[in-house]
């Protein structure tokens, strides 16, 4: 649908289900204050979509025709952020922020700065009408507005119909919009999986045509979107689809992915949906566990230092590419090596210290999920779970070694616990 052809649809209050009771109190205060000062004030983006779907929005974003400077004048608790992409953040209490963005539009070709590196930021910062603002958004279902002036829903892009039909559709031509910002390809897959919507066929053919471009997106954005996939419990299906569409190696710097890795990630998704927390080190270790295990044969001859070395070799390129902090990289590596120890079985050197290591429960958690994919490992999980519960017990069938009989001093065991596996 082109911007010229489409008409605006306005759903009055009595024709939709969104009630002010569902909207966060402080966001309502912001909307009302803008409105009382003669500004347009809309709830925008994901929150309107989620409310219409009967879901709890993650956050409530506000759109307005007031400039950032004007917003700042209206709110004492407001500060402007972003050097180039100016947004107003209004602070409530210690930890709560409400984001207020001035409506923006796509600049025309001849308005663009000469330096192509400047385009992305420039494109995001030209103020426009609410209609312009709807059209610069990614998908029709993400471009609906809730107007505080009369509690109506404003739809410039056909988003209400797509919500009813449960379909993700790009606003405008997917080829153009994916070229403009390749991360939209990944977001399309993410929303389809999260909301259980289908993808407009043009999205699939668009990804087919533009998939390589995902490699040109800023690594920090990809890193964030990948963690979003994990947090929403859709990393498995989305990465599987990326793989099927041939986008996965472009997305994760050469990462091939395997059925088993993706099956493991889907297990993690299930755990997240059941309320499990997801840490980035865990997410990275899961991505690379299959590769790592392939490179470390589970024989007596494989020494732990060798496993450490392999783990580093495998995750360092990923961590460098995505500028992942040393601490996270270290934990990811420890989780991989922990899984190696767990897969190898009990009775090896250093077992006692391993059982006391603070990361071992997490390694075992990852290994437990891995054993759901590789069911032959299930008995190991059971054994190790018991060993962790009673770390002082000698391994089954093994003779206690004299060293193990030494009484432990509490402070000594604590400092040992902090050492690597
Ligand atoms: P959620 O926060 O639940 O993941 P959301 O729709 O709020 O979903 P955000 O990433 O928070 O998604 O973005 C907020 C809004 O900004 C989106 O609803 C969309 O309208 C717009 N948006 C985000 N990313 C893009 C993009 N890459 N291109 C165009 N518009 C975008
Ligand atoms: Mg959001």
């Amino acid at each position: 649908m082109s911007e010229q052809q489409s008409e605006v649809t306005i759903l009055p209050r009595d024709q939709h289900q969104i009630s002010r009771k569902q909207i966060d109190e402080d966001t309502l205060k912001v909307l009302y204050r803008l409105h009382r000062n003669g500004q347009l004030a809309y709830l925008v983006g994901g929150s309107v979509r989620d409310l219409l779907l009967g879901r709890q929005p993650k956050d409530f974003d506000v759109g307005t025709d007031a400039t950032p400077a004007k917003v700042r004048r209206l709110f004492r608790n407001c500060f402007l952020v972003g050097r180039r992409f100016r947004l107003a953040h209004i602070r409530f209490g210690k930890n709560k922020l409400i984001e207020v963005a001035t409506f923006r539009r796509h600049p025309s070709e001849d308005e663009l700065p000469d330096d192509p590196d400047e385009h992305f930021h420039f494109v995001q910062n030209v103020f426009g009408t609410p209609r312009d603002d709807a059209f610069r958004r990614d998908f029709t279902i993400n471009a609906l507005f809730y107007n505080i002036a009369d509690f109506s829903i404003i739809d410039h892009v056909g988003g209400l119909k797509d919500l009813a039909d449960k379909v993700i559709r790009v606003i405008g031509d997917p080829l153009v919009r994916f070229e403009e910002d390749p991360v939209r390809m990944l977001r399309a897959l993410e929303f389809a999986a999260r909301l259980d919507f289908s993808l407009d066929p043009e999205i699939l053919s668009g990804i087919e045509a533009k998939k390589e471009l995902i490699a040109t997106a800023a690594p920090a954005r990809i890193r964030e979107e990948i963690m979003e996939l994990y947090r929403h419990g859709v990393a498995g299906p989305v990465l599987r689809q990326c793989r099927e569409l041939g986008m996965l190696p472009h997305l994760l710097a050469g990462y091939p992915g395997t059925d088993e890795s993706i099956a493991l990630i889907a297990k993690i998704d299930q755990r997240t949906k059941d309320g499990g927390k997801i840490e980035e080190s865990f997410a990275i270790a899961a991505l690379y566990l299959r590769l790592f295990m392939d490179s470390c044969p589970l024989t007596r001859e494989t020494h732990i230092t060798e496993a450490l070395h392999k783990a580093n070799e495998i995750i360092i390129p990923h961590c460098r590419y995505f500028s992942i902090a040393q601490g996270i990289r270290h934990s990811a590596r420890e989780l991989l090596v922990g899984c190696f120890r767990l897969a190898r079985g009990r009775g090896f050197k250093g077992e006692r210290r391993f059982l006391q290591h603070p990361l071992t429960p997490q390694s075992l958690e990852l290994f437990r999920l891995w054993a759901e994919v590789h069911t032959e490992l299930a008995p190991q999980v059971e054994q190790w779970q018991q060993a962790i519960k009673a770390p002082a017990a000698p391994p089954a069938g093994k003779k206690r070694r004299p060293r193990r009989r030494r009484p432990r001093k509490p402070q000594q065991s604590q400092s040992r616990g902090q050492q690597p596996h």
Side-chain angles (χ1 to χ4, degrees), residues 243-259:
R243 184 161 173 249
E244 285 162 8
L245 291 165
M247 189 162 71
L248 194 55
H250 306 293
L251 180 70
L252 291 176
Y255 177 75
T258 60
D259 288 339

Side-chain angles (χ1 to χ4, degrees), residues 46-65:
S47 55
V48 186
R49 173 199 72 215
D50 288 345
L51 288 173
L52 286 169
L53 288 171
R55 292 167 171 253
Q56 176 60 37
K58 196 173 61 181
D59 41 34
F60 293 88
D61 294 333
V62 172
T64 180
D65 59 350

Side-chain angles (χ1 to χ4, degrees), residues 311-329:
N312 269 334
E313 213 170 76
I314 286 171
I315 59 170
I316 282 178
H318 177 102
C319 294
R320 287 229 172 99
Y321 183 76
F322 290 105
S323 305
I324 287 165
Q326 186 75 27
I328 297 173
R329 181 210 291 184

Side-chain angles (χ1 to χ4, degrees), residues 129-145:
T129 63
R131 184 175 176 81
D132 295 329
D133 193 79
F135 275 89
R136 76 170 175 97
R137 291 173 183 273
D138 46 8
F139 310 113
T140 59
I141 59 162
N142 283 353
L144 296 165
F145 299 142

